[in-house]
Amino acid sequence: MSDVSAVKAALKSQVIETPSWGYGNSGTRFKVFAQPGVPRNPFEKLADAAQVHAHTGVAPKVSLHIPWDRVEDYTALTRYAEELGLRVGAINSNVFQDEDFKLGSVTHPDPKVRRKATDHLLECVDIMDATGSPDLKLWFSDGTNYPGQDDIAGRQDRLAEALAEVYERLGHDQRMLLEYKLFEPAFYTTDVPDWGTSYAHCLKLGPKAQVVVDTGHHAPGTNIEFIVAFLLREGKLGAFDFNSRFYADDDLMAGAADPFQLFRIMHEVVKNGGLKSETGVNFMLDQCHNIEAKIPAVIRSVTNVQEATAKALLIDAEALAAAQLSGDVLAANGVLMDAFNTDVRPLLAAVREELGLAPDPFAAYLASGNQERIAADRVGGEQAGWGA
Amino acid sequence: MSDVSAVKAALKSQVIETPSWGYGNSGTRFKVFAQPGVPRNPFEKLADAAQVHAHTGVAPKVSLHIPWDRVEDYTALTRYAEELGLRVGAINSNVFQDEDFKLGSVTHPDPKVRRKATDHLLECVDIMDATGSPDLKLWFSDGTNYPGQDDIAGRQDRLAEALAEVYERLGHDQRMLLEYKLFEPAFYTTDVPDWGTSYAHCLKLGPKAQVVVDTGHHAPGTNIEFIVAFLLREGKLGAFDFNSRFYADDDLMAGAADPFQLFRIMHEVVKNGGLKSETGVNFMLDQCHNIEAKIPAVIRSVTNVQEATAKALLIDAEALAAAQLSGDVLAANGVLMDAFNTDVRPLLAAVREELGLAPDPFAAYLASGNQERIAADRVGGEQAGWGA
Amino acid sequence: MSDVSAVKAALKSQVIETPSWGYGNSGTRFKVFAQPGVPRNPFEKLADAAQVHAHTGVAPKVSLHIPWDRVEDYTALTRYAEELGLRVGAINSNVFQDEDFKLGSVTHPDPKVRRKATDHLLECVDIMDATGSPDLKLWFSDGTNYPGQDDIAGRQDRLAEALAEVYERLGHDQRMLLEYKLFEPAFYTTDVPDWGTSYAHCLKLGPKAQVVVDTGHHAPGTNIEFIVAFLLREGKLGAFDFNSRFYADDDLMAGAADPFQLFRIMHEVVKNGGLKSETGVNFMLDQCHNIEAKIPAVIRSVTNVQEATAKALLIDAEALAAAQLSGDVLAANGVLMDAFNTDVRPLLAAVREELGLAPDPFAAYLASGNQERIAADRVGGEQAGWGA
Amino acid sequence: MSDVSAVKAALKSQVIETPSWGYGNSGTRFKVFAQPGVPRNPFEKLADAAQVHAHTGVAPKVSLHIPWDRVEDYTALTRYAEELGLRVGAINSNVFQDEDFKLGSVTHPDPKVRRKATDHLLECVDIMDATGSPDLKLWFSDGTNYPGQDDIAGRQDRLAEALAEVYERLGHDQRMLLEYKLFEPAFYTTDVPDWGTSYAHCLKLGPKAQVVVDTGHHAPGTNIEFIVAFLLREGKLGAFDFNSRFYADDDLMAGAADPFQLFRIMHEVVKNGGLKSETGVNFMLDQCHNIEAKIPAVIRSVTNVQEATAKALLIDAEALAAAQLSGDVLAANGVLMDAFNTDVRPLLAAVREELGLAPDPFAAYLASGNQERIAADRVGGEQAGWGA
C-alpha cells in the first residue's frame, strides 16, 4: 500500500479493544502484587480504558468479564461508557472460578454442573442484549490433569451440546467467539486446545461462531500467522487476543516479546482483508500487567499493535507478489524486511496529530497527572484483581 | 476388556503395516551410514518385510513409496508380495526430491510445476489400481523457509485445487490419507502443518479423505491422544504413522521414546472403536533406522505397538468409567496405570504361540540366520536408501 | 543388580522426603480449590506426612518452607516430628511473596531489598540449627519480565554476593542446595534458569553447595537424565525435587506424566552411585495437588518413585555394559526396556511386607479412615495453602 | 553510546567471519538442491568469501572445515586468501562423516575409534599452524539415539580425555572453541548438549578453552542472551555461530527469524565488553543456504548482524541504567525498544561510504555481475556441498 494517505486512513480506522481486567491487579500462582490506583469496580475500569482511548484515539471498545464486571444496572454501565466515549465490546464468560468447576464446566461429567455452566453462558448473552455487546467470547479452562481422569471424546460431546444451546440463543447481530489454549490451568488435556478444535466446533455451529486467536496460547514453534491466514481464508477468524510470551501464556504486553512475529501476523491480516471492518475481526488485547503500571502498559500495547499494523501496511504488495511469483526467495524476503525495518513512529505521530492527539501517547499520559490522581483518589475499598 | 480371550482375539486381528523404506539405509543431513544386507530393489524390501511378518504374524501389509519403489511390472511385484504372504498397503507419493520441487510441488507458484506434481499423484493412483492398494498417502514437504517467500493463503488455494483433482480420480474403495507435519524440510511455513489443516481439507474433499497422524510430527507439548480421540469421534482418522521422537521428527522406533504416550494413544483408539476393522484405521510404521539393524528394529517396533495395544485392551473400562463419572481423579488415573504397569509380554507370547509363532519374535529372528544370509547375499548393486 | 535381596535392601534404604506444602491447598493463577481436611498449621502438616511414612515406610523426612511453616518454638515442632517418627528435612526459603520482592530479592537493584532477602536466608540457617535440618534449599523466583528491565550480568554479581554470605554462615554438616528453573514467575529472564548457572555458582562457593534438579523446571526436550549423570560425575548433585509435567512446571505427581523418564533418571542415579547414602542425594518431592486428594497423591508419588527405582535396580548391568561396549544398539536398549517392562509391584509389595507394612500403601491409607477423620476434625481455622 | 562517531568506529572495527561451507550446496535429509556457480574447491570458496568482504568491508576472515577444505598445500591456500584480502579463521574439525564414527568419535566405546578421532583433531591443529588460524572449533555430533545405548557418564570421561590431549597440543596463541548442541544428529543424548556442559569442560581445560554459542542449538524457550551475558561475565565466551531458526537447527540466515533476539544478544555483547577486540569474541556465521542464492544470503546475514549491532550501540546506556536502578520497568523497556525501533540502515550506509563501499552491499553485489560470472565459469567438476 504505497499511498501514504491510504495507510493513514487504515491506521485511523483500526479499532483495538482493551480488556477491563487489564486495569486490575494480576499475577502468577506465586503472588499477586498490588498497585496503587487500581480500580475498585467496573466503572473505574471504564475510566481507565477511557484514558487509553483519549491518548491513542483507537481504543473505544472495552471487553467485560462476567462475573468480575457484574453490576446491578447494565444500562447505567453502558451509559457511563458512552459518556466516556466508549462502548462495550466482547462479553467474556467465566466458568473457571466457582468451586463446582474444579473438574470442568460445560464438559463436567455431572450434568448439574454443566447446566450451571451453560446457564452462566446464557446470562452472558443477556448481558450482551443489555449492553449492546456484539461478541460472546468463550474460553474454557476445562480439561484434565491426569491420564484417565475423564473421557476425552465424551467431553467433546458435552462441549458440543452446550455450545449448540448457547448458539441458538444468539441474536441476529451477535457472534460467539471460541478461544483455544494449549494448556493451563489444565495440565494433561484441554478440551479446546488448538485452532483445529475450535474451528471444527465453529464450523458445525454456523456462521455466527468464529475462532479467537490468542497469541499466547500455542505450543512452542507454532506458526501463528499461518493460522491467521488459514482462518481468514475460511472466513472463520473472529478476533485476536493480543499479548506476548517467551515461554507459556505469559500475558506480557503485545509486541514485547517478538515484534517481528506481530508484524508477520498483521501482514497476513492486511494481505487477507482482515483489516476491513466488514471482515469483522476484533483486535482485542488480553494481557496481565503484573509488575508494570497498568494504564501505561495498555497504551504501549496499543501502540505496539499500531506499529506492527503500520509496517504491514507499508509492504510493497506488488513487489512482494512479483518476487514470490518469480521464486526469488531473497527478494521476496527483502520486501518484507524493508517494511519491518522502517521506523514507523513518525508516521504514527503524524496520524495522531491529524486526529488532534499528542504524537506520543505514552509520554502524554505520563505527563497528564492521571496516574498520580487515581493513586490518591482510589484509596480504600477492594482493588479489582485478575480473578477478583 | 476383562475377557482374556477377547483381548487375545483383538491382538490377533490387529494389522501393522511396515514401510518399504524402513528396510533401506537412512540417516540425517549429516551422514547416511550404510549397513550390510540392505535391499537393493523393491523385491528385496518385500522379502525383508516378509521376515517381519513371519516372526510377528501381524505385519502382512507393506507401504510402497513412489518413485523409490517404482518397477516396470506392478503385477509381478504384487504377485511376489502375495507369494511372500504379503499385500501392498499404502502408496506413498514423493513430490519432494525432484529439482523442480525446490520451492514446492502442488503449492508451487509456477503452474507447470504444480501440473507435474499433480500428475505424479495421479500416477500413484494408477499404481494403486495395479497393486490393489487401498490407500493413497500424501505427505507434502511444501512450505517456505523465509517470511515473505510466498503467499500463505495462495498456497492453500493451490493445494486445495490439486487435492480435489486427485480425489476425483480415486476409485470406489480407495482413500486419500493426508499427512501433516510441523516443520522440516520447510523451516518457516509448512503448507499442511497440523491436524486442523489436514482435517479442514479432508472435510471439504469428502468421506474418502482422511487424516494421517504421524506421531513424530507435532510441536513440543502437543497431546497426540487428544487428536486421535477427536478425529475418531469425527470419523476422520485414516491412519497412523508410528515412530517416536525426543526432539523433532527423530523417526526412532515406535514406543522407544515414550511408551506411556503410545499406550495412551492406543487407549483412545480402543476406547473410540479404532481397533475395529470397519473403522478403517491403518496402523502403519514410518521410521528411519539410522544406526540400528533394520529388520530387528522393525520387529521391535511392531512388538512395541502390540504391547501398548495389549495394555490398552486390559484397561478395566467399567471401573474407569465409574471413577470418571464420580470425579475420583486418583482412582481413574489408577485404573489406567494399573493396565500400563502390567507386564504384557507373557500375554503376547501366548498369543504368538497360539498363532504357531515363536514367543519372542526379536530373538527368533536373530536366531534364524537371516541377517547373516542377506549380508552375504546382497553384495554389489546399489543399496536402497531413504531417498534413494 | 541381579541379587533380589540386594535390590530389596536398596529399596528399603531409600529415603523419600515429602514437602509440608504438598499437604496444603494449591492451585493455578486462575483458582485455588480448597479441600476438606487440609492442615491449618505446621503441626497438622507433619501429622499428614506421618501418614505417608506410616504407609510407605520410606518417607521419614519432611521439608519445611519458611515463612509458611514458621512457628514460635522450633524445638517443639522438631520434638513433635520425632514423636511421629519423622525428622525435619530441607529448610526452604521464600523470598518471592513479600511486596518488596516484586522486582527481585537477592538480585534486586536496591541494596536494602537485597539485605532483607539475605537476612531471610540467614534466618533459615538459624532454623536449620534449631531443627537439625541438614539442607538449605534455595529457589529464587528472581528475574525480569521485559527486555531491558534490569542488567542480566549485574544481577549475577548480586546473586553471587548473597550466596557467598549465606554459604559462610553454614555449619559443618549443613549444605546449600541451589535450585534452577527455566521460567515462572519471571517471563523474560530468570536469574538461575538452568543447571549450568546453578553449577557455576556452586562450584565457586565450595563443596557444601550443590545443585537441585527439579524435574519440572526444564525447557521442552531437555534430557534430564543427562544432567543427573553429569552432576553425579562432578559430585554436585545435591537433591531432586520430583514431580511431573506435560507442558511447563505443572507440578503433577512424580511419575504421572512420563514414567519412562523417571525410570531413566533413576537408572543414572543407580549407575552413578546416587543411591548410596554417602553420596548425599536427597530424594525430595515438590508437587502441587490441585484437584486430587493430597495425602493419597503423595503416597502415589512415593510409590511411583519406588517403582522407577526398583526397575532401575533390576537392570542387568553386566549385560548392559557388554552390549554397550560391543556397539549393539538394539541389545543395549533391550536390556533397559526389559527392566522397564517388568511389573515391579509384587517386588515392592514383598519389600513392604518385610517391613511390616501393607502391600498396597494407597489402598491401605484409603481403608484407614484417616481421610474422613481429618475432614471431620479440621473444621474452622485457616487452611494452609500453597503460598499461605 | 550516544556519540555517533564512536558508534561508527565500533561498527567499522567489528569483524564477521564467514564459513567456507556456506558457499557450497546444502540441504536437509530429504534433498540437497544444487545451484549454479557453486564453488568446486576451497580456492573458489575463498573467492566467494572475498566477494562478501569486498561488498561489506567487515568479513575478512573465513572458517575452514576439515576434511571438506583439505588441500595439499596450506601455504598456497593461505597465500591465496591473503591475495584476496582475507585470512584464515577457525579450523573446524569433522568427526561425524566417517563410517567409523557411526556410534561416536571421541566418546566412542572403542578406543581405536577414539584414537582416530583425536588424531583428526590434532591434524586440525597442524593446519592451524600452517594457516595461521587462531581457533580450533570443535563440534561433536557424538551421542546416542536410544535409552541404554551407551554409558552417559562414561562418554563424558572419554570426551574429557580427548579434549585434554588436544588442549595440550595447542600453541600459545591458539584457542579451543567448544560448541554445544541440543540434538541432531543424535536423538536421545548428545554428549555436549548445552552451554553448561561446554563450560564445565572448558573450565577444567584452562583459559585457552572457551564456549561457542550457536544461536540455533538450544531448546525452545532458551534465553540465549542470558547465556551470552553469563559467559562474558565468566570470560568464557569464545565465539558465536550466528544463524537463525524457527524450530530446530534450521540454519537460516542470521537475523531472519527473530531480529529482536539478535538485537538483545548484541545488547549483552556490547554491554559486557564483547565487542572489544581484546575480549576475543569471534563473530562467525554458520548457516546453510538451501534454497536461496549463497553469496547474497551471506551478505544479507552479515548486514543483519551489523544492523543488530548498530541498534545495540545506539541504546542510551545511561538512561537504561537509571531506569533499571529505579525499578521503572516500562521506562527501561522503552529505552531498549527505542533503539530497536530505530532504522539504522542510513547509519550503516554512511559507515560503508566512509569505508569507500557502496551503501547497499546486497544491491551492489547483485549489480556486480559476479553471480552470472561464476555460474558461467564454474561448469564441470564436483560442486562443493555441505558434507562434501
Side-chain angles (χ1 to χ4, degrees), chain C residues 157 188 194-195 225 233-234, chain D residues 157 188 194-195 225 233:
Chain C
D157 294 339
Y188 168 54
D194 54 18
W195 76 265
E225 57 267 33
R233 184 177 172 273
E234 299 283 327
Chain D
D157 294 339
Y188 168 54
D194 54 19
W195 77 264
E225 56 268 33
R233 184 177 172 273

Side-chain angles (χ1 to χ4, degrees), chain A residues 31-337:
Chain A
K31 173 72 176 173
V32 175
F33 293 101
Q35 292 189 10
V38 156
R40 295 157 301 174
N41 57 54
F43 293 86
E44 291 182 354
K45 293 182 200 172
L46 288 177
D48 289 1
Q51 288 289 325
V52 174
H53 183 46
H55 289 91
T56 62
V58 296
K61 289 171 68 191
V62 186
S63 307
L64 300 183
H65 213 291
I66 307 300
W68 304 342
D69 295 321
R70 198 177 266 153
V71 292
E72 291 283 305
D73 182 351
Y74 287 101
T75 311
L77 189 73
T78 309
R79 205 179 313 119
Y80 184 64
E82 285 163 4
E83 287 166 19
L84 294 166
L86 303 175
R87 55 188 193 274
V88 173
I91 301 297
N92 290 255
S93 63
N94 175 326
V95 284
F96 53 88
Q97 291 189 315
D98 190 286
E99 293 287 336
D100 282 338
F101 299 146
K102 186 167 82 164
L103 301 181
S105 66
V106 294
T107 68
H108 197 286
D110 183 341
K112 287 198 301 293
V113 177
R114 298 203 294 274
R115 186 68 256 154
K116 177 175 174 172
T118 306
D119 284 345
H120 172 73
L121 305 187
L122 295 171
E123 180 202 350
C124 288
V125 185
D126 295 341
I127 296 170
M128 293 169 69
D129 291 342
T131 57
S133 157
D135 293 331
L136 175 66
K137 183 148 73 85
L138 302 180
W139 172 64
F140 298 102
S141 71
D142 293 54
T144 63
N145 273 10
Y146 289 102
Q149 181 184 323
D150 201 5
D151 178 347
I152 294 174
R155 292 174 80 95
Q156 290 298 315
D157 294 339
R158 301 169 201 151
L159 172 64
E161 188 183 337
L163 291 177
E165 181 178 346
V166 177
Y167 188 86
E168 283 308 304
R169 166 69 182 82
L170 291 175
H172 183 65
D173 289 330
Q174 294 175 333
R175 294 191 299 177
M176 172 187 285
L177 303 177
L178 183 55
E179 194 170 345
Y180 58 89
K181 183 175 183 181
L182 180 67
F183 81 100
E184 197 214 17
F187 293 129
Y188 167 54
T189 61
T190 295
D191 292 320
V192 190
D194 53 19
W195 77 265
T197 306
S198 179
Y199 168 84
H201 281 285
C202 288
L203 206 63
K204 286 188 186 159
L205 288 166
K208 290 188 285 188
Q210 290 184 303
V211 179
V212 179
V213 174
D214 183 305
T215 49
H217 286 190
H218 303 85
T222 302
N223 185 318
I224 300 175
E225 57 267 33
F226 176 90
I227 298 172
V228 168
F230 195 94
L231 290 173
L232 280 167
R233 183 176 172 273
E234 299 283 327
K236 278 294 183 193
L237 181 65
F240 283 100
D241 266 1
F242 283 121
N243 53 56
S244 68
R245 52 77 75 96
F246 289 95
Y247 304 98
D249 184 30
D250 306 341
D251 277 333
L252 302 176
M253 298 184 295
D258 190 345
F260 184 45
Q261 182 189 59
L262 185 56
F263 160 76
R264 298 191 312 260
I265 289 172
M266 291 311 306
H267 166 52
E268 295 303 327
V269 167
V270 169
K271 172 83 181 58
N272 295 289
L275 217 56
K276 292 177 192 154
S277 66
E278 61 266 31
T279 311
V281 178
N282 188 348
F283 299 92
M284 303 187 288
L285 301 179
D286 179 11
Q287 314 177 154
C288 291
H289 308 297
N290 297 348
I291 60 169
E292 66 271 24
K294 291 159 202 305
I295 298 173
V298 178
I299 290 174
R300 182 165 294 168
S301 305
V302 169
T303 57
N304 283 349
V305 173
Q306 286 187 294
E307 290 175 19
T309 306
K311 291 179 177 192
L313 287 163
L314 289 176
I315 291 171
D316 184 336
E318 276 182 45
L320 182 63
Q324 291 174 343
L325 207 60
S326 70
D328 189 336
V329 176
L330 289 170
N333 176 247
V335 171
L336 207 79
M337 296 313 295

Side-chain angles (χ1 to χ4, degrees), chain C residues 103 109 146-153 156-157 160 188-191 193-197 199-200 203-204 219-220 223 225-226 229-230 233-234 260 264 268 271-272 320 324 327 329 332-333 336, chain D residues 103 109 146-153 156-157 160 188-191 193-197 199-200 203-204 219-220 223 225-226 229-230 233-234 260 264 268 271-272 320 324 327 329 332-333 336:
Chain C
L103 302 181
Y146 289 102
Q149 181 184 324
D150 201 4
D151 178 347
I152 294 174
Q156 290 298 316
D157 294 339
Y188 168 54
T189 61
T190 295
D191 292 321
D194 54 18
W195 76 265
T197 306
Y199 168 84
L203 208 62
K204 285 189 186 158
N223 185 318
E225 57 267 33
F226 176 91
F230 195 94
R233 184 177 172 273
E234 299 283 327
F260 185 46
R264 298 192 311 261
E268 295 305 327
K271 172 81 181 56
N272 295 291
L320 183 62
Q324 290 175 344
V329 175
N333 176 247
L336 207 79
Chain D
L103 301 181
Y146 289 102
Q149 181 184 326
D150 201 5
D151 178 348
I152 294 174
Q156 290 298 315
D157 294 339
Y188 168 54
T189 61
T190 295
D191 292 320
D194 54 19
W195 77 264
T197 306
Y199 168 83
L203 208 61
K204 285 189 185 157
N223 185 318
E225 56 268 33
F226 176 91
F230 195 94
R233 184 177 172 273
E234 299 282 328
F260 185 45
R264 299 192 311 262
E268 296 303 327
K271 172 82 181 57
N272 295 290
L320 183 62
Q324 290 174 344
V329 175
N333 176 247
L336 207 78

Side-chain angles (χ1 to χ4, degrees), chain B residues 74-187:
Chain B
Y74 287 101
T75 310
L77 190 72
T78 309
R79 205 178 313 119
Y80 184 64
E82 284 163 6
E83 288 166 18
L84 294 165
L86 303 174
R87 56 189 192 273
V88 172
I91 300 298
N92 290 255
S93 63
N94 176 326
V95 282
F96 53 88
Q97 291 190 315
D98 190 286
E99 293 287 336
D100 282 337
F101 299 147
K102 185 166 84 164
L103 301 181
S105 65
V106 294
T107 69
H108 196 287
D110 183 341
K112 286 197 302 293
V113 176
R114 297 204 293 275
R115 186 67 257 154
K116 175 174 173 172
T118 305
D119 284 345
H120 173 73
L121 306 187
L122 295 171
E123 179 201 351
C124 288
V125 185
D126 294 341
I127 296 171
M128 292 171 70
D129 291 341
T131 57
S133 159
D135 293 332
L136 175 66
K137 182 147 74 82
L138 302 180
W139 171 63
F140 297 103
S141 71
D142 293 55
T144 63
N145 273 10
Y146 289 101
Q149 180 184 325
D150 200 6
D151 178 347
I152 294 174
R155 291 174 80 95
Q156 290 298 316
D157 294 339
R158 301 169 201 152
L159 172 64
E161 188 183 338
L163 291 177
E165 181 178 347
V166 177
Y167 188 86
E168 282 309 304
R169 165 69 182 80
L170 289 176
H172 183 64
D173 288 332
Q174 293 175 334
R175 295 191 298 177
M176 173 188 285
L177 303 176
L178 182 55
E179 194 170 345
Y180 58 90
K181 183 176 183 181
L182 180 66
F183 81 100
E184 196 214 19
F187 294 130

Side-chain angles (χ1 to χ4, degrees), chain D residues 224-244:
Chain D
I224 300 175
E225 56 268 33
F226 176 91
I227 298 171
V228 168
F230 195 94
L231 289 174
L232 280 168
R233 184 177 172 273
E234 299 282 328
K236 279 293 183 193
L237 181 64
F240 283 100
D241 264 1
F242 284 121
N243 52 57
S244 67

